[in-house]
Structure formats: structure tokens, C-alpha cells
Amino acid sequence: GHRGVDASGETTYKKTTSSTLKGAIQLGIGYTVGNLSSKPERDVLMQDFYVVESIFFPSEGSNLTPAHHYADFRFKTYAPVAFRYFRELFGIRPDDYLYSLCNEPLIELSNPGASGSLFYVTSDDEFIIKTVMHKEAEFLQKLLPGYYMNLNQNPRTLLPKFYGLYCVQSGGKNIRVVVMNNILPRVVKMHLKFDLKGSTYKRRASKKEKEKSSPTYKDLDFIQDMPEGLMLDADTFSALVKTLQRDCLVLESFKIMDYSLLLGVHNIDQQERERQSEGAHSTSDEKRPVGQKALYSTAMESIQGGAARGESIDTDD
Amino acid sequence: GHRGVDASGETTYKKTTSSTLKGAIQLGIGYTVGNLSSKPERDVLMQDFYVVESIFFPSEGSNLTPAHHYADFRFKTYAPVAFRYFRELFGIRPDDYLYSLCNEPLIELSNPGASGSLFYVTSDDEFIIKTVMHKEAEFLQKLLPGYYMNLNQNPRTLLPKFYGLYCVQSGGKNIRVVVMNNILPRVVKMHLKFDLKGSTYKRRASKKEKEKSSPTYKDLDFIQDMPEGLMLDADTFSALVKTLQRDCLVLESFKIMDYSLLLGVHNIDQQERERQSEGAHSTSDEKRPVGQKALYSTAMESIQGGAARGESIDTDD
């Protein structure tokens, strides 16, 4: 991987410090989203998937870009009009996107997994930013028309939500990042987490994983610990199965086979017990889940990676 | 063009008689639509646009196909799953499509224009079948993903509705046909017809055209004969303008520039006068338009051709 740590202890990616990368991402997205919203809305065309917008950010500033404390860099936005359309479909308003990503600090995930990617989450827990390799970015770009088709026909899809694909170019290096939905926000505590592939071959969480405070279990653990499965009402069940079937068809058509269903279980009874044992310490402005909240996602492993959840997933099968 | 007439006076296309072509089309579409409806509905995938289904029809019949009185032929269906999805979007039920095209005689248009294409209309006036050249079929096939995107984002589009693209292969010849909506059905009489390009250069109907019983006028005729334009209520007007703008954006993205708006005007007052002067001859089961019916269409000239309306259009600009 390209991830490292420098002498001061700061994380680096391709020798670029995390703070520099965060700064460039925030400047770049700020510019590109602002620039887009000045252009009138229009239909997405086939060509829009292949567009790459590029803007230069000299450290002394220009008439388009502000001055900054990093080295000169170039910021590239892939398929800006297409991703604007996707964000709109996902109900993300330009202002909210801008605010979450650019006006609040990005938080680096400390336990980012084995893929060598760097992960950031926005302060409001809404978005994940992940560095991707050249091949992954290229692959995602090629997938966009098919991704568009899936979103249109299958709006309940559990495949990752992609909000943007960008590249920071500096000192001859390209750092590509993708902005996605955060599938396990901290607001709702997951009492159990499973990474399910529908396979039983070596599908048990490692000892090391199980020692974590919030381990991600696998298929064999699920069979053993939840022999009766999960109870879903009939409508939810059939909708879920149908969505998974449709998603699998899309993954198959993309020739992606290394994917899994990340299942987070929020146990309401357990939550209530925990709250009562904590006493009456909770205050009214504390964020708290309202009722049961189901957060399923079929992770597109080859792009999002198990590490998107801040866990290291053993690549044992 | 490939259109001709044989010794008996029958129209031919690439030396194939019209009756043979009609027979092969009906057998072929009958097979392909029936075959499709036996397969479960599923989402359209990117790959579906590139699929070509092929079935052999030996004259003695096979276990899949019936015997027939024509020479052996092969019938190819382009992008069957994608067109099934389009037909569904357009509200065409498989049974209705099958019935109109295969169970009722196809009517050859006697005045098919200069393009060298052969035109058929179904007995119920719903569908037009047009022979297209190799290049046109290839172009349409390439356009399908963009066409899909336009239909999804711009459901009011006035671009032609494409229901199917097929190829009849026989004796080393390929005859490609496209099935489209019939934009000027006979049910509603058009008292005036205009082919509008937004250009004033040589945009006047020819003398020959004006001598026809139902001429298609052009831009300069419109300016001269309807100096006040057409009255539309504000909502209809703005919806129409917006749709035309969006359609033009799509045509531009396809690099198509030879297109026009075919405008048919059904004059209710004139219709009423004509009916009264005819006396009380009309019977109750006679088809008659209910209220005013607006039928606009931006014809995609390079594919549909002016000739789709059964008129010869002078290619004067």
C-alpha cells in the first residue's frame, strides 16, 4: 500500500501528509461544487461520464482559487455532472455536501485496515472519503453508466453510494479519492456486526478480530451465534431479498465477485438496559436512535473494501 | 436506395418482395416477443444494449419455429431486453405489441418518400415499421444507452419512440427494420402539417408538395400563413419549450443536426363544419377524436426520416 507514517508520527499517503491531503481535498471539493452550482441544472448525457474537470491551485492563489499553505497542486473532478445527478438522487443537497466536507474538520480513521488506503469521515458522520488506487478509480469510472442504470431501476439498492471521485495531483503524484456514504454512522450503536458472503469456507472471525471492542463476525459465527437467524417482517424480508438479488445481478454484470453483506444489528432491548444501567446521565441534546434503524449494505468490496468500516478484514478466502 | 418494384408490380427491398419481408417480420417478432415473455422480468444492464439474439427459420419449420412459405431466413433481434424495457416505459404491453404487429396485416405505405426505405403501418395505426440502412441501424444501436438516459430523465421527450430493431437475413442479404410510434395516426385528421427546422433558408414547401391533398408545409409557409403563431396555454407552452430544449441537448450530444419538429394541427371548428356539411352520415362506431388532441414530435430525421409520415420531403437544405 501507499500508506505510511512520517517522522512526526503523521500518517502519509504517497509521501504526502494527511493534513496536506485533507487541505487539498477540502479546497478542491469546495471549488468544484461551488463551480457546478453556478451552472444551470440539465440532464445527464452519456458523455458526462467521461468528463474530467481540472483546476490548478497555486499556493499563492489565483483569480479562481484562494491562497493556501500547501505546495501547488491540481485538483481533478471526474464526471462532475453525473455525480451531481447521483447526489441529487441520494437526496444530498449541494450546500450540505459542501458544508460537511469543506467547512468541518475531516476525521482520519485510526484503524483503517489492510488495504493501504487512508480513510476520513466527516464530522457529521455522513460521508467517508477513501483513497483509491489508479486501477480502482479507472474501474469505478467505467462502471458509471451501469451504476446510473442500477440507481434508476433499483432505487433501493444497497450497493455503496458514490458521491464523487477526485484526484489530487502534486509533485508528480496522483492521489485519487472517492466520497461515499458512511454505512455505519456512530449515532446508532451496532451491538453486533457481520460480514456475510454466503460462503462457509474459512468464514470465521480471527482471534485478533474477536478481541476487539466491536468485532466484525463472519458467516460461520452467524450460523453458530444466531442459529435462528434474524426476525424480519414478511414485507421487509421480501424487499431485502429482492434488492439483494438485483444488486447481485449488477455486481455479476460488473464481473465483481469479491463482495459481502455488512450487517449491523442494533439491539433495542440491550440499548435500553445499557441506558438504564448508566443511570439518568443522558441529556436531551444527545443524539439517540429513534426506534429501530436497519442499516444494511452490500459492500462493493473491490472498491469500498472491508476497511471502510474502520476494521481490518482478514483476506482469508 | 434499395427499394424497387418487381415484374408483377410488387414493391421490393434488396430484391426481396414486400410480402416476403412482411411475413418474415411477423414470424420473427412473434417468436422473439413470445420468447422474451417466457423469461422473467429483470433490470436492464449495460451489456443488454449490445446483445443480438438470432434465430433460424427454415421453411420446413423446426422445433422452435413454424413452417412457412418463404425461403429459409434468420431473424435477429437487437438488444431484446433493453427494448422490452423501453416498450414497458412507453406503456406498450407485450400482448398488444404482438397482436398489432403479428396478428393483423401490415399495411405498406404507398407514398414512402425519397429515402429508399420501405414503410409499413400496423392495422391499428399504432406502429410504423421502417427499413433502415446498415449505418442507421448501427448508429441507433450505439445511441441506445444515451437514449435510455434521456427516457429516464425526460419522460416527456418528443424524440421518436423506438420499440424494436430487427434484421431479416436471407440469401446473403440483410434487411434491417426499426419499429417506431406512428406520430400522425389517421384517427385524427390534421388540417395543417408543418415540418419546422427553425431555419428560413429555402424552407418553403415545393409546388409539387403544395398540390398534394395534405401537404407538409415548412418554416416560411408557417410565418406567412400563421403570422400570429399558434395559441397555447402558458403551461403547455412552457412544458413544450422545456421538452424541446432538453431534446435538442440530446440530439446535439448525439451529433445529430438534421432534425425538425413535425407539427400537426387539428382544427376543431373546421372538423365540426366538415362534419355538418357531410350531413348525419356518421355512425356511432366511427372513430372520432375526443376534444383537441395535440400531437407534436421532434423527428430524429437521420433515423426516422421525413418519409416516416408518408410524404416525400425535398432535401433542399
Side-chain angles (χ1 to χ4, degrees), chain A residues 42-47 49 85 145-146 148-149 152-154 246 249-250 253, chain B residues 42-47 49 85 145-146 148-149 152-154 246 249-250 253:
Chain A
R42 64 161 175 81
D43 293 330
V44 183
L45 303 167
M46 202 58 194
Q47 287 95 315
F49 296 124
Y85 177 80
Y148 169 100
M149 291 176 64
N152 259 301
Q153 296 174 86
N154 183 16
R246 297 171 83 171
L249 182 69
V250 173
S253 82
Chain B
R42 64 158 175 82
D43 293 328
V44 183
L45 302 168
M46 200 59 194
Q47 288 94 313
F49 296 124
Y85 177 80
Y148 169 99
M149 292 176 64
N152 260 301
Q153 296 173 85
N154 183 15
R246 297 172 82 171
L249 181 71
V250 172
S253 82

Side-chain angles (χ1 to χ4, degrees), chain B residues 192-196 222 230 261-265 295-297:
Chain B
L192 277 171
K193 278 185 288 181
F194 295 97
D195 178 278
L196 302 176
F222 187 86
L230 282 173
L261 175 70
L262 180 66
L263 174 65
V265 180
L295 291 163
Y296 310 97
S297 182

Side-chain angles (χ1 to χ4, degrees), chain B residues 31-281:
Chain B
Y31 173 83
T32 187
V33 175
N35 186 40
L36 253 183
S37 50
S38 72
K39 291 178 191 165
E41 297 252 335
R42 64 158 175 82
D43 293 328
V44 183
L45 302 168
M46 200 59 194
Q47 288 94 313
D48 290 320
F49 296 124
Y50 311 112
V51 169
V52 184
E53 189 192 87
S54 180
I55 176 87
F56 185 56
F57 285 85
S59 54
E60 69 270 25
S62 71
N63 46 3
L64 290 172
T65 62
H68 55 81
H69 300 296
Y70 317 110
D72 294 354
F73 68 93
R74 182 168 282 285
F75 192 81
K76 289 185 173 182
T77 305
Y78 294 87
V81 173
F83 278 111
R84 173 173 70 173
Y85 177 80
F86 294 154
R87 291 194 296 269
E88 210 184 285
L89 271 188
F90 294 132
I92 307 288
R93 288 174 40 223
D95 286 357
D96 295 340
Y97 188 67
L98 210 51
Y99 190 86
S100 299
L101 285 162
C102 305
N103 287 26
E104 296 285 312
L106 298 176
I107 299 153
E108 187 181 326
L109 291 185
S110 55
N111 189 9
S115 70
S117 288
L118 250 184
F119 289 86
Y120 300 110
V121 62
T122 53
S123 292
D124 59 5
D125 236 14
E126 285 288 331
F127 304 104
I128 288 259
I129 300 178
K130 183 198 170 188
T131 59
V132 290
M133 302 220 270
H134 186 189
K135 283 273 170 205
E136 292 176 287
E138 215 176 58
F139 187 59
L140 176 57
Q141 215 189 339
K142 265 194 210 148
L143 254 45
L144 291 179
Y147 185 72
Y148 169 99
M149 292 176 64
N150 182 45
L151 289 185
N152 260 301
Q153 296 173 85
N154 183 15
R156 304 171 82 138
T157 178
L158 295 171
L159 295 179
K161 295 186 167 65
F162 294 112
Y163 301 129
L165 179 62
Y166 309 98
C167 179
V168 176
Q169 270 187 329
S170 183
K173 278 167 196 141
N174 287 302
I175 302 182
R176 294 167 190 85
V177 298
V178 60
V179 180
M180 300 180 298
N181 57 326
N182 182 12
I183 49 180
L184 290 184
R186 290 161 298 181
V187 185
V188 184
K189 187 182 175 186
M190 292 302 161
H191 298 96
L192 277 171
K193 278 185 288 181
F194 295 97
D195 178 278
L196 302 176
K197 277 198 197 299
S199 160
T200 53
Y201 182 71
K202 291 189 179 174
R203 295 294 298 161
R204 197 180 296 282
S206 66
K207 243 186 174 171
K208 201 180 139 206
E209 181 67 31
K210 284 180 185 165
E211 281 161 9
K212 291 182 182 172
S213 65
S214 178
T216 301
Y217 296 101
K218 296 189 182 177
D219 303 63
L220 289 170
D221 307 307
F222 187 86
I223 292 171
Q224 183 187 299
D225 300 344
M226 309 196 79
E228 317 218 327
L230 282 173
M231 286 304 293
L232 298 175
D233 68 86
D235 286 351
T236 306
F237 175 79
S238 75
L240 178 62
V241 167
K242 202 167 169 202
T243 297
L244 290 179
Q245 283 168 340
R246 297 172 82 171
D247 283 345
C248 286
L249 181 71
V250 172
L251 290 166
E252 193 189 330
S253 82
F254 290 161
K255 301 202 190 328
I256 293 174
M257 54 175 280
D258 183 19
Y259 52 86
S260 56
L261 175 70
L262 180 66
L263 174 65
V265 180
H266 170 73
N267 189 318
I268 302 177
D269 296 341
Q270 192 174 335
Q271 178 81 358
E272 195 46 44
R273 281 196 301 277
E274 283 170 9
R275 193 169 296 151
Q276 281 170 359
S277 73
E278 280 165 14
H281 293 304

Side-chain angles (χ1 to χ4, degrees), chain A residues 3 9 29 33 44 61 81 121 133 144 146 160 169 186 217 229 237 252 262 278 282 290 296 316:
Chain A
R3 202 175 59 219
I29 294 182
V33 175
V44 183
V81 173
V121 62
M133 303 221 270
L144 291 179
Q169 271 187 329
R186 290 161 297 181
Y217 295 101
F237 175 80
E252 192 189 331
L262 179 66
E278 280 164 18
S282 57
V290 182
Y296 309 97
D316 55 6

Side-chain angles (χ1 to χ4, degrees), chain A residues 280-288:
Chain A
H281 293 303
S282 57
T283 59
S284 60
D285 53 43
E286 196 180 304
K287 279 185 183 171
R288 208 183 282 161

